[in-house]
């Protein structure tokens, strides 16, 4: 079950996220529950796999905004890193960062579903 306590255990900065949601706990948790369904996770993965760094940057940048606004630090940190690498269209192995992002997304999904 998704609660403020489970979000804190996940590593989210709940107070910051709540502040951005006008201290409305139900609204914050509802928005958090939508994050794993964000289509940009699939877009990021497929764009990196096809080496379309422009599309990958767009997806990463969108995810950075969503996870940053909700203060989902475990997701935000690797997304921030990959966004900055993609901003300069750096040709590198993105798989470790992508793997971390997808793992943190999966952890969040499991919390929501339990």
């Amino acid at each position: 079950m998704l609660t403020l306590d489970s979000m804190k255990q996940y590593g989210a900065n709940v107070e910051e996220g709540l502040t951005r949601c006008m201290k409305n706990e139900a609204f914050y948790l509802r928005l958090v529950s939508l994050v794993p369904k964000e289509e940009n996770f699939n877009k990021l993965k497929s764009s990196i796999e096809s080496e379309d760094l422009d599309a990958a940057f767009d997806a990463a940048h969108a995810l950075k905004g969503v996870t940053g606004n909700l203060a989902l630090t475990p997701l935000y940190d690797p997304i921030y890193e990959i966004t900055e690498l993609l901003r300069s269209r750096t040709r590198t192995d993105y798989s470790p960062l992508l793997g971390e992002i997808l793992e943190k997304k999966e952890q969040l999904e499991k919390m929501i579903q339990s």
Side-chain angles (χ1 to χ4, degrees):
M1 184 172 160
L2 191 62
T3 65
L4 293 183
D5 284 340
S6 67
M7 292 303 303
K8 287 176 186 173
Q9 289 175 350
Y10 176 69
N13 184 337
V14 172
E15 292 309 313
E16 185 180 323
L18 276 173
T19 298
R20 291 199 177 112
C21 291
M22 301 161 288
K23 299 286 185 189
N24 184 327
E25 181 180 330
F27 182 57
Y28 175 71
L29 293 174
R30 186 171 148 289
L31 291 177
V32 167
S33 72
L34 297 174
V35 170
K37 299 172 187 161
E38 174 60 54
E39 207 35 56
N40 280 304
F41 285 109
N42 293 330
K43 183 180 173 189
L44 177 63
K45 184 178 185 293
S46 64
S47 298
I48 285 175
E49 288 171 351
S50 67
E51 297 183 12
D52 183 348
L53 299 185
D54 290 331
F57 172 76
D58 291 343
H61 193 263
L63 289 169
K64 183 180 137 195
V66 169
T67 58
N69 282 329
L70 295 173
L72 301 176
T73 310
L75 259 174
Y76 175 82
D77 289 347
I79 289 171
Y80 173 83
E81 269 187 73
I82 207 167
T83 301
E84 293 312 305
L85 286 172
L86 288 164
R87 184 181 308 281
S88 61
R89 306 312 189 257
T90 303
R91 297 247 175 232
T92 188
D93 180 7
Y94 290 100
S95 58
L97 279 173
L98 181 61
E100 184 178 352
I101 291 165
L102 296 176
E103 178 186 320
K104 297 299 180 185
K105 173 189 165 256
E106 188 176 309
Q107 287 174 2
L108 184 59
E109 272 178 318
K110 286 180 181 176
M111 271 188 353
I112 293 166
Q113 293 169 355
S114 65

